[in-house]
């Protein structure tokens, strides 16, 4: 898929939370720790703290705030993903700024959730991030669609099922939910996504969805 899928699902996903507000970090940690598949291994409050915590704790996924006292989450992400065996990074932000989203994508973030995301979104983002798979909430997707880097796209002809899967992804469904709704295996859903990515010359599911929206194959109208 152009996305790694090498995390052992039999092991707990190790999560590091980076936020300059301790109360927010502890709140996120409490929500995620309720999920039996996840284990919060630490919290960090600065870029420097985040980098040292990644080295020490070896998390599978990092939840990254944008505004930090000694820099930005984008800067921290760029340094984190450059390392060997790097974790996936999910940007958690209240900033509805397309420039920020663009920078985060370029830095290597694989997921985006807003600070008002519910527990389901946070858990799904953590599980996807650990596999370096794209995850995004619908409100964030609406901003990502308008990024300059996605302005010029072209793609091959998608099958009806590939379009249905991309539409469901744009609507915020996870691969497992899509599989259940369409009476398909999760493996088949991933294959449809992979084929759509190839036809749309996309490196991630997120890019495939954005490209399909721009081609008016998929809609994000309410």
């Amino acid at each position: 898929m152009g996305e790694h899928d090498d995390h052992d699902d039999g092991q707990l996903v190790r999560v590091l939370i980076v936020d300059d507000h301790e109360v927010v970090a502890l709140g996120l940690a409490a929500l995620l720790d309720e999920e039996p598949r996840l284990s919060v291994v630490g919290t960090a409050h600065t870029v420097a703290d985040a980098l040292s915590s990644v080295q020490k704790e070896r998390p599978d996924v990092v939840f990254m705030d944008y505004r930090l006292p000694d820099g930005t989450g984008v800067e921290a992400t760029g340094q984190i993903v450059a390392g060997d065996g790097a974790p996936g990074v999910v940007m958690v932000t209240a900033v509805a700024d397309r420039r920020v989203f663009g920078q985060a994508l370029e830095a290597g973030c694989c997921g985006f959730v807003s600070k008002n995301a519910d527990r389901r979104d946070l858990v799904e983002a953590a599980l996807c991030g650990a596999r370096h798979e794209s995850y995004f909430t619908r409100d964030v997707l609406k901003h990502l669609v308008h990024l300059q880097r996605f302005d010029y796209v072209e793609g091959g002809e998608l099958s009806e099922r590939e379009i249905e899967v991309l539409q469901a992804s744009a609507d915020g469904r996870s691969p497992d939910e899509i599989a259940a709704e369409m009476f398909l295996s999760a493996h088949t859903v991933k294959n449809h996504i992979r084929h759509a990515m190839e036809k749309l010359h996309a490196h991630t599911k997120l890019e495939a969805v954005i490209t399909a929206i721009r081609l008016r194959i998929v809609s994000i109208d309410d």
Side-chain angles (χ1 to χ4, degrees):
M1 288 175 60
E3 300 177 344
H4 307 294
D5 195 8
D6 53 6
H7 189 268
D8 183 351
D9 290 329
Q11 297 179 345
L12 287 178
V13 168
R14 296 168 59 80
V15 184
L16 173 69
I17 296 169
V18 183
D19 196 295
D20 65 331
H21 293 99
E22 188 172 4
V23 172
V24 174
L26 292 175
L28 266 176
L31 279 173
L32 293 172
D33 258 340
E34 291 177 6
E35 171 56 48
R37 292 170 290 179
L38 305 179
S39 173
V40 177
V41 296
T43 59
H45 309 295
T46 65
V47 172
D49 201 6
L51 297 175
S52 64
S53 294
V54 166
Q55 292 297 318
K56 179 182 175 186
E57 302 294 347
R58 297 292 178 185
D60 300 303
V61 62
V62 177
F63 275 74
M64 181 69 70
D65 189 20
Y66 177 69
R67 301 186 191 282
L68 298 171
D70 56 342
T72 69
V74 168
E75 294 165 351
T77 298
Q79 295 182 65
I80 288 170
V81 301
D84 291 333
V89 180
V90 175
M91 184 69 69
V92 185
T93 180
V95 181
D97 185 333
R98 289 171 191 161
R99 179 179 53 86
V100 169
F101 291 138
Q103 290 174 349
L105 272 175
E106 295 292 346
C109 283
C110 60
F112 297 86
V113 291
S114 55
K115 285 209 168 177
N116 59 1
D118 61 21
R119 180 177 171 275
R120 172 201 166 277
D121 279 323
L122 294 171
V123 169
E124 203 60 50
L127 296 174
C128 287
R131 298 189 297 265
H132 293 257
E133 292 179 357
S134 305
Y135 190 83
F136 44 87
T137 48
R138 187 179 172 87
D139 54 343
V140 171
L141 179 61
K142 289 186 176 183
H143 291 284
L144 293 174
V145 168
H146 297 287
L147 289 178
Q148 191 68 29
R149 62 172 290 189
F150 295 112
D151 269 354
Y152 303 102
V153 294
E154 57 181 48
E157 189 171 340
L158 299 183
S159 71
E160 186 174 339
R161 188 61 98 183
E162 287 160 3
I163 292 170
E164 288 177 358
V165 169
L166 287 182
Q167 180 65 64
S169 298
D171 290 338
R173 310 273 209 291
S174 71
D176 287 342
E177 289 171 334
I178 296 169
E181 287 177 11
M182 295 185 179
F183 303 103
L184 302 170
S185 70
H187 177 73
T188 299
V189 169
K190 288 184 177 181
N191 275 341
H192 285 313
I193 292 172
R194 179 170 56 81
H195 292 148
M197 285 167 52
E198 289 170 356
K199 291 177 181 179
L200 297 171
H201 310 294
H203 298 295
T204 66
K205 178 179 73 174
L206 175 58
E207 287 189 30
V209 170
I210 289 171
T211 299
I213 292 168
R214 286 189 168 279
L215 291 171
R216 301 186 186 282
I217 297 169
V218 164
S219 169
I220 52 170
D221 296 333
D222 291 326

